[in-house]
Amino acid sequence: MGIQENYEQLPLKDFAEKAYLDYSMYVILDRALPHIGDGLKPVQRRIIYAMSELGLNALAKYKKSARTVGDVLGKYHPHGDSACYEAMVIMAQSFSYRYPLVDGQGNWGSTDDPKSFAAMRYTESRLTAYAQTLLSELGQGTVDWVDNFDGSLQEPVILPARLPNIILNGTMGIAVGMATDIPPHNLREVVNACIQLLDEPDSTLESLLTHIKGPDYPTSAEITTSSEDIMQMYISGHGSIKMRAIYEIEDHNIVITALPHQVSGSKLLEQVAAQMLAKKLPMLEDLRDESDHENPTRLVFIPKSKRIDLDSVMSHLFATTDLEKSYRVNLNMIGLNGKPVVKNLLTILTEWLRFRTETVRRRLQYRLDKVIARLHILDALLIAFLNIDEVIAIIREHDKPKPVLMSRFSITDIQAEAILELKLRHLAKLEEMKIKGEQDELEKERKALEKTLGSKRLLNRLIKTELERDAEKYGDDRRSPIVERNVSKALETTALISNEPLTIVLSQKGWIRAAKGHDIEVQSLNYRSGDKYLDSAKGRSTQPIYIMDSTGRVYNTTTHDLPSARSQGEPLTGRLKPPAGSLFTHLFAGQPEDWYLLVSNAGYGFRVQLKDLQSKNKAGKTAITLKDNIKALTPIEIHNDSDLVAVVTLQGRLLIFPVLELPALSKGKGNKLIQIPPSDFSSDKDEVVAVSVIAEEGVLKVISGKRHLSLKKNDIEAYIGNRAKRGAALPRGFQRVDALEN
């Protein structure tokens, strides 16, 4: 059958599980997470090492970025060139990295569009001076080396960082099942905290925070996170940082001078402009971008009037745009034990100092070994000078002089080799003096190195001195001030809408629209075929409109976004969800504190404030209880506590009583307004046909067909009585009342 026998059988479940775990570990350890020692991911480490191998230090000439990327891919990192170049670009962007590692020449992107950088064939690059803190001790026995991917070269496992780059530049990355978001910090603050830990190893996290106030981003926007939240973030290793743009008031215009980290000015203007187009920022008239080389960020917001409270406008913009932005913090990194762990600030600095101490110890030991080896050679050279004639004779007389020299002068193989490689020009008397001088210097250095290596105090002092020197050379002032600010708050919808008078119109089939102004001839509007006018209410664009249906439920919706009265409107069922079979019957509007009278044709009613009828539920809320074919009449606004309620029945009986005799409820059936015999109501012989609220000195007009009866103060007194009474009969001709007007 030709079946080969050199294969392995595995269940698919086991193979898939192993393959995914291998992939996960690769992504976590070799791609996405930084190492605590140098704060770099593998691709970043390889880019910096490759550039140093190309001689691209801070004083070298720039070279094409494609040259570097080619070296990185060909020698150390066999992956995509675009991903490698993008990693290089981020390390060169001063607005992305707090302390850039790559010095770029050409188009390396902008704050408006960080990904707008030119292709690698156009840009040139070299390392920054700060990058030397990662590389300067590389050839001094400080780190371990491993084979590259094809075994043809060696590369460092980690770079011997002189500074805790892990939190100076920070990083972000997404692995499998975990992520990292480490914010950047100020070099001077971090070094001061490290020095305190060297001096006082038992220091608490709280004491370190006297030096490290919080993250320090490459922008001068404010950090508004409270000190308590920052402390909790450093204690747990998790949290968030909130940044807010800085603005000034110039000639009553708002001028933005600094944006949060990685916020694009052009995209921010798009966000604000979108709100203006949606008529959600009526207080702003125009936007301008006045940014230039002298002012990298200068965005101008022009208000419509000088009476506008600019601080409240900015508070709204902070809450609704990227003028205020939160950044997740997750201090996840690969520790010295090779395992990914979320660490708190104290652990990070303590572990890094352990790494730094070991690095310095290895550097000093490497130098000590070199000094001892050189002294060993110098001892042999001095012997040769003191016995030069005999040495020359041995060399001339023996075919293999090395063993003879070793035997005659009791020297090692290495010393004998050094004597044999001596050049004739070095046999002068002056060279002997140089050897003795070099011996003295190296002996002093050897003693100093051994003393430092044997003393933890001296080793810490050396590390401290080097940290202070680097802080002096590369440190700078804090850029992101930490300021306590009030929590930003979006303005209420009413504050974002121009306050205009509106007449809201409802048709019998439930189509709604709004016309500007209160002097609208609602009956003359065009209606859909088979539809006609039902009700209208006068309100304002900042107020909701209240809609009652045939079941006694009340709904509310915004008015500023209702279609124009020039159109035929939109169906209310698109905004609301009334019960099946119900019909919309009445409209009313007003302020939340306004009082209304809700009445049924059965003669029951109560007072209610509009705020008690407000609901965000599309299904509305029950207001007046209606049973057995009882209907609700048009809600009537109550203006004053001294108002009177006039109730008239179909049979022409009128009762007037003080409005305060009715209870204030949020929902229900209410109290009896006027007495109607149950038999008359059930047989449709009598019911309440109209209700009106009249002022204390007001006039009441009774309408019956074409007849009108005006009742003035003296006439009204004849109909005043106690609530729930039968009322007095109207004059002849008004036994069938149609309506009341005040």
Side-chain angles (χ1 to χ4, degrees):
M1 299 293 290
I3 299 176
Q4 295 182 0
E5 296 181 0
N6 60 340
Y7 66 88
E8 180 185 4
Q9 283 189 330
L10 271 178
L12 181 60
K13 172 182 174 295
D14 295 345
F15 174 79
E17 183 178 342
K18 182 178 183 302
Y20 188 71
L21 282 174
D22 289 346
Y23 165 73
S24 302
M25 291 305 296
Y26 165 74
V27 172
I28 291 169
L29 299 177
D30 290 322
R31 188 191 294 182
L33 298 189
H35 193 282
I36 191 170
D38 56 11
L40 300 175
K41 302 175 187 178
V43 64
Q44 297 170 326
R45 188 178 301 118
R46 286 163 176 165
I47 290 169
I48 293 168
Y49 176 64
M51 292 181 77
S52 71
E53 288 294 285
L54 285 169
L56 296 177
N57 59 46
L59 300 176
K61 286 185 177 180
Y62 292 95
K63 282 188 180 177
K64 287 288 185 183
S65 301
R67 172 88 177 270
T68 297
V69 172
D71 256 36
V72 173
L73 301 187
K75 293 180 178 179
Y76 311 110
H77 197 72
H79 295 278
D81 59 340
S82 58
C84 178
Y85 180 51
E86 189 166 332
M88 184 177 174
V89 167
I90 293 173
M91 291 192 291
Q93 292 176 336
S94 59
F95 50 84
S96 294
Y97 255 45
R98 183 64 177 82
Y99 300 98
L101 298 170
V102 176
D103 179 9
Q105 187 168 261
N107 176 14
W108 291 79
S110 66
T111 51
D112 264 355
D113 188 3
K115 300 210 181 258
S116 62
F117 50 85
M120 58 184 168
R121 61 182 177 274
Y122 300 119
T123 62
E124 297 178 337
S125 56
R126 65 184 180 188
L127 292 169
T128 60
Y130 173 82
Q132 291 305 308
T133 63
L134 300 171
L135 295 163
S136 62
E137 300 174 358
L138 192 57
Q140 300 177 28
T142 50
V143 294
D144 296 327
W145 296 74
V146 293
D147 289 339
N148 68 340
F149 64 91
D150 62 0
S152 60
L153 293 168
Q154 293 262 297
E155 61 175 318
V157 173
I158 194 169
L159 297 182
R162 298 203 311 259
L163 292 168
N165 187 61
I166 184 72
I167 60 171
L168 293 182
N169 272 320
T171 191
M172 63 179 295
I174 300 173
V176 177
M178 61 179 66
T180 182
D181 290 279
I182 305 172
H185 290 76
N186 184 271
L187 194 155
R188 289 177 181 167
E189 292 180 6
V190 172
V191 165
N192 287 338
C194 288
I195 289 172
Q196 179 177 326
L197 269 177
L198 286 171
D199 292 338
E200 303 171 24
D202 296 330
S203 296
T204 62
L205 180 57
E206 288 77 5
S207 64
L208 295 184
L209 294 185
T210 59
H211 302 292
I212 301 177
K213 306 296 183 184
D216 187 23
Y217 291 89
T219 173
S220 55
E222 296 174 343
I223 294 174
T224 58
T225 308
S226 68
S227 56
E228 292 81 10
D229 289 344
I230 291 176
M231 178 182 289
Q232 191 58 42
M233 175 194 80
Y234 284 136
I235 290 172
S236 65
H238 294 284
S240 65
I241 292 293
K242 189 172 287 186
M243 292 196 81
R244 181 179 289 189
I246 293 178
Y247 70 96
E248 301 170 355
I249 307 297
E250 293 182 10
D251 299 327
H252 206 69
N253 292 335
I254 301 169
V255 180
I256 309 295
T257 58
L259 293 172
H261 184 47
Q262 294 179 330
V263 169
S264 162
S266 59
K267 290 181 181 177
L268 176 69
L269 289 178
E270 288 176 12
Q271 291 177 340
V272 180
Q275 291 195 38
M276 293 175 69
L277 286 174
K279 297 183 179 179
K280 292 182 178 179
L281 278 176
M283 64 284 292
L284 289 186
E285 183 176 14
D286 196 12
L287 308 173
R288 284 203 306 265
D289 187 351
E290 298 182 354
S291 306
D292 54 27
H293 288 292
E294 291 185 4
N295 302 291
T297 302
R298 184 177 169 83
L299 308 178
V300 183
F301 299 164
I302 303 170
K304 282 186 177 177
S305 109
K306 292 186 176 181
R307 295 189 301 273
I308 292 171
D309 182 359
L310 299 183
D311 289 335
S312 65
V313 173
M314 285 305 299
S315 180
H316 171 76
L317 291 175
F318 286 142
T320 58
T321 70
D322 283 344
L323 280 171
E324 184 174 84
K325 193 172 180 182
S326 290
Y327 302 87
R328 185 176 59 183
V329 175
N330 182 21
L331 305 181
N332 190 10
M333 62 198 71
I334 299 171
L336 296 181
N337 59 1
K339 296 179 181 178
V341 181
V342 175
K343 302 176 185 291
N344 62 43
L345 182 65
L346 179 60
T347 305
I348 292 171
L349 294 182
T350 303
E351 196 165 329
W352 182 83
L353 283 172
R354 198 159 71 243
F355 164 79
R356 179 61 187 156
T357 302
E358 182 59 28
T359 302
V360 173
R361 189 183 297 280
R362 290 180 65 167
R363 185 189 81 201
L364 296 180
Q365 188 62 52
Y366 179 82
R367 177 58 186 165
L368 179 59
D369 293 342
K370 290 283 186 182
V371 168
I372 292 173
R374 180 59 181 167
L375 284 170
H376 191 57
I377 298 296
L378 290 175
D379 287 342
L381 295 182
L382 195 56
I383 289 171
F385 278 114
L386 295 175
N387 303 277
I388 190 64
D389 294 333
E390 189 176 352
V391 169
I392 293 172
I394 291 172
I395 293 172
R396 290 180 66 184
E397 293 172 4
H398 295 84
D399 292 335
K400 294 182 178 180
K402 185 190 287 188
V404 180
L405 288 172
M406 291 171 63
S407 175
R408 169 65 185 85
F409 299 110
S410 300
I411 59 176
T412 63
D413 184 277
I414 296 172
Q415 289 176 316
E417 190 65 37
I419 291 172
L420 291 172
E421 289 180 358
L422 207 57
K423 293 182 180 179
L424 290 174
R425 71 175 63 177
H426 294 152
L427 298 178
K429 180 70 176 173
L430 184 62
E431 198 68 26
E432 181 184 345
M433 295 170 62
K434 285 184 178 179
I435 290 171
K436 289 183 176 178
E438 187 179 349
Q439 275 183 321
D440 292 340
E441 289 179 8
L442 290 178
E443 193 61 40
K444 288 179 183 177
E445 186 178 354
R446 181 182 67 81
K447 289 179 181 178
L449 288 169
E450 289 176 343
K451 188 176 180 182
T452 303
L453 283 167
S455 169
K456 185 177 180 181
R457 181 179 60 82
L458 291 177
L459 194 61
N460 284 352
R461 184 192 294 175
L462 176 61
I463 295 169
K464 178 179 174 181
T465 302
E466 291 175 349
L467 284 172
E468 289 173 339
R469 190 185 306 131
D470 285 336
E472 181 66 29
K473 186 174 182 180
Y474 304 110
D476 56 4
D477 294 332
R478 167 173 280 277
R479 292 187 195 172
S480 304
I482 300 175
V483 185
E484 295 278 349
R485 297 289 187 194
N486 293 328
V487 177
S488 56
K489 186 179 180 182
L491 292 172
E492 295 290 336
T493 307
T494 53
L496 299 170
I497 301 166
S498 52
N499 192 352
E500 299 175 329
L502 293 179
T503 299
I504 299 91
V505 182
L506 179 67
S507 74
Q508 286 186 353
K509 292 192 174 179
W511 287 65
I512 194 167
R513 48 186 156 165
K516 290 185 179 180
H518 285 167
D519 53 349
I520 307 299
E521 291 289 337
V522 292
Q523 302 282 3
S524 63
L525 295 174
N526 291 324
Y527 293 87
R528 294 165 60 84
S529 176
D531 200 2
K532 59 182 180 180
Y533 169 80
L534 175 65
D535 198 6
S536 63
K538 295 177 181 179
R540 304 197 72 83
S541 56
T542 56
Q543 298 172 344
I545 183 71
Y546 298 82
I547 307 108
M548 182 179 284
D549 72 4
S550 54
T551 67
R553 297 183 74 82
V554 172
Y555 314 80
N556 39 81
T557 186
T558 53
T559 56
H560 67 276
D561 54 353
L562 288 174
S564 167
R566 289 191 292 270
S567 69
Q568 292 179 336
E570 66 175 61
L572 261 177
T573 50
R575 292 177 173 233
L576 310 174
K577 293 182 179 178
S582 65
L583 298 172
F584 297 113
T585 56
H586 302 103
L587 293 180
F588 52 107
Q591 298 290 349
E593 291 75 24
D594 289 350
W595 286 90
Y596 265 78
L597 185 62
L598 299 187
V599 180
S600 69
N601 65 341
Y604 289 85
F606 58 92
R607 293 180 295 131
V608 65
Q609 268 188 309
L610 289 186
K611 64 183 180 183
D612 292 328
L613 299 178
Q614 288 180 352
S615 172
K616 293 182 179 179
N617 191 347
K618 289 185 177 182
K621 62 189 298 186
T622 301
I624 185 168
T625 304
L626 303 176
K627 294 180 181 179
D628 302 327
N629 298 322
I630 298 175
K631 299 176 183 178
L633 302 184
T634 302
I636 307 295
E637 185 175 4
I638 301 169
H639 297 285
N640 296 296
D641 290 346
S642 59
D643 287 350
L644 301 173
V645 178
V647 186
V648 67
T649 66
L650 182 64
Q651 294 182 3
R653 302 194 73 83
L654 175 65
L655 177 64
I656 299 175
F657 58 87
V659 71
L660 290 182
E661 288 191 14
L662 283 174
L665 304 174
S666 60
K667 63 178 181 179
K669 177 181 177 181
N671 286 8
K672 184 181 290 187
L673 280 71
I674 191 169
Q675 178 68 41
I676 298 176
S679 58
D680 288 354
F681 182 77
S682 60
S683 59
D684 295 334
K685 292 181 181 178
D686 201 7
E687 64 179 345
V688 174
V689 292
V691 178
S692 182
V693 173
I694 53 178
E696 209 171 5
E697 301 292 329
V699 176
L700 180 67
K701 184 185 289 186
V702 182
I703 301 171
S704 177
K706 294 183 179 180
R707 292 172 175 266
H708 297 261
L709 175 65
S710 292
L711 302 176
K712 296 183 180 179
K713 182 180 179 181
N714 293 335
D715 303 320
I716 286 174
E717 289 179 354
Y719 297 95
I720 291 178
N722 293 326
R723 178 185 62 79
K725 295 299 183 182
R726 187 74 178 102
L730 288 165
R732 188 173 180 181
F734 288 90
Q735 279 75 32
R736 305 289 290 186
V737 176
D738 296 320
L740 295 177
E741 290 183 1
N742 54 8

